[in-house]
Amino acid sequence: MKKLFLFAVALFIGLQAAAAQDQDAVNRQIFDRVYAAVKDKAGLPTGTLALEIAKQFIGTKYAYYTLEQEPEQLRVYLDKTDCILFVELCSSFALTVKGRRIVQAGDGVHYAVRETPSVEKAEPSYELLCHNIQNMRYRLGIVDGYGSRIHYTSEWLLQNQTNGILYEMSETLGEPFNQSFFYMTTHKNIYKQLRNDEVQSAVVKAAEDRLNLQAPYFYVSQEELRKEAIISQIKDGDIITFVDYHPGLDLSHVAMACTGEDGQMHFIHAGTGLMEVAIDPKTLADYATRGIRVSRLR
């Protein structure tokens, strides 16, 4: 019986390793294709370049819960995505094309506005892309259990602003709104990694507490987005985050601003409507019923 169990474990580990190798091969093939298509545009502003990269992924299938596997480790998928992973990928890819490696400038506790990117020169490669994704996705770029992954998009914005990768424009464009963070630790039953793990729950709770102390937060209402003076300040490649309606959650969807063929401001995203990456037929103002927050890559 023990031998049978050990065999099953070894088989499972082997299958996981084979799947990881297959995914790595797929990722590298897609990376090479996209990099070849955009490498001559490395001199564009980062947001503009990120949008050019985003367009290379149009038609990529939407996938749920790709990161919700155990144990926690960096997982990169270029053949499937969800909304935040899509924007994270395009932002990281733009830095990679420019030959820039993210260097953490914060302490994971305090947040600030850094006016210059905390990066160092590096040769563009798939490995550099993975490094940049890890340093956008994980607190201080360190993978150490489920809680080390940044789960609230507000923290993702704050860490990347502290690293000078982006800056949020919502205060300039909008108005304060009442935002609090508690959903994950008051709904632990729906997060399998938190259900019976007090250590990881405590890490997430500490992140919520820090985010609550970071107030005030700002947003741009749908009414304001319909004003030319406001919408004209949003540029192609800006990161758009949509305000959530659940108490204790901050942002429900992430996209990138993109001017449509009609000359109006639309957005490109990985959405559940078409279940793939696409430029949405709705204008940004029509879609943003609860308002948005706006950030720009430096």
Side-chain angles (χ1 to χ4, degrees):
M1 191 69 178
K2 184 177 180 180
K3 288 183 179 180
L4 182 61
F5 173 75
L6 292 174
F7 173 78
V9 170
L11 179 61
F12 177 72
I13 293 173
L15 290 173
Q16 280 193 316
Q21 289 178 345
D22 290 345
Q23 186 64 56
D24 185 71
V26 169
N27 286 349
R28 289 177 182 277
Q29 184 178 32
I30 297 172
F31 174 85
D32 289 344
R33 173 183 64 80
V34 175
Y35 180 69
V38 302
K39 64 180 180 180
D40 293 337
K41 301 178 180 180
L44 291 173
T46 310
T48 308
L49 177 58
L51 180 58
E52 290 296 313
I53 291 166
K55 291 177 179 178
Q56 294 294 320
F57 285 94
I58 287 177
T60 300
K61 66 179 181 179
Y62 185 97
Y64 292 98
Y65 310 126
T66 56
L67 304 186
E68 303 311 309
Q69 304 173 50
E70 295 178 293
E72 184 70 31
Q73 63 187 49
L74 178 67
R75 291 182 169 86
V76 176
Y77 302 94
L78 273 62
D79 58 335
K80 55 188 175 184
T81 189
D82 63 21
C83 65
I84 180 63
L85 297 186
F86 173 61
V87 170
E88 182 180 71
L89 169 62
C90 296
S91 302
S92 299
F93 213 127
L95 291 174
T96 300
V97 172
K98 287 179 172 291
R100 296 294 183 266
R101 180 193 305 273
I102 296 174
V103 177
Q104 294 292 332
D107 61 9
V109 176
H110 304 94
Y111 304 106
V113 177
R114 184 182 176 91
E115 295 185 358
T116 56
S118 183
V119 295
E120 60 186 15
K121 290 184 179 180
E123 189 68 25
S125 66
Y126 173 67
E127 286 73 21
L128 178 59
L129 173 65
C130 292
H131 168 90
N132 287 335
I133 289 174
Q134 179 167 323
N135 279 269
M136 280 192 153
R137 182 180 300 169
Y138 287 90
R139 195 170 299 109
L140 296 181
I142 299 169
V143 183
D144 184 21
Y146 180 76
S148 68
R149 184 172 10 125
I150 296 174
H151 298 285
Y152 288 97
T153 306
S154 291
E155 186 182 4
W156 187 91
L157 293 171
L158 286 166
Q159 172 162 291
N160 286 297
Q161 182 165 272
T162 301
N163 286 331
I165 305 303
L166 56 82
Y167 63 98
E168 187 166 357
M169 304 161 55
S170 306
E171 182 174 358
T172 302
L173 297 176
E175 59 190 279
F177 78 116
N178 184 23
Q179 176 66 65
S180 56
F181 301 82
F182 56 80
Y183 188 88
M184 289 185 69
T185 53
T186 56
H187 294 77
K188 290 194 294 185
N189 59 307
I190 65 175
Y191 299 95
K192 64 180 182 179
Q193 296 91 336
L194 298 182
R195 226 172 276 154
N196 300 305
D197 192 328
E198 293 305 318
V199 172
Q200 296 303 316
S201 294
V203 174
V204 174
K205 179 62 166 62
E208 292 174 339
D209 291 343
R210 289 193 297 271
L211 290 171
N212 285 323
L213 290 173
Q214 193 65 26
Y217 292 90
F218 297 83
Y219 87 120
V220 186
S221 68
Q222 185 177 45
E223 180 182 1
E224 290 298 301
L225 281 173
R226 297 196 186 282
K227 297 178 180 179
E228 180 60 26
I230 300 298
I231 197 70
S232 64
Q233 295 185 63
I234 299 175
K235 305 299 182 185
D236 282 354
D238 284 351
I239 296 173
I240 308 298
T241 47
F242 297 84
V243 175
D244 197 282
Y245 64 92
H246 292 93
L249 276 180
D250 53 344
L251 300 158
S252 60
H253 192 49
V254 187
M256 299 185 75
C258 178
T259 302
E261 294 181 357
D262 57 3
Q264 298 189 69
M265 185 54 70
H266 292 252
F267 54 98
I268 184 169
H269 64 146
T272 55
L274 295 175
M275 293 299 291
E276 64 181 30
V277 173
I279 298 174
D280 203 279
K282 283 190 174 182
T283 66
L284 182 56
D286 285 342
Y287 189 91
T289 55
R290 294 180 179 83
I292 63 170
R293 290 165 60 181
V294 185
S295 301
R296 182 167 294 166
L297 290 165
R298 291 195 184 277

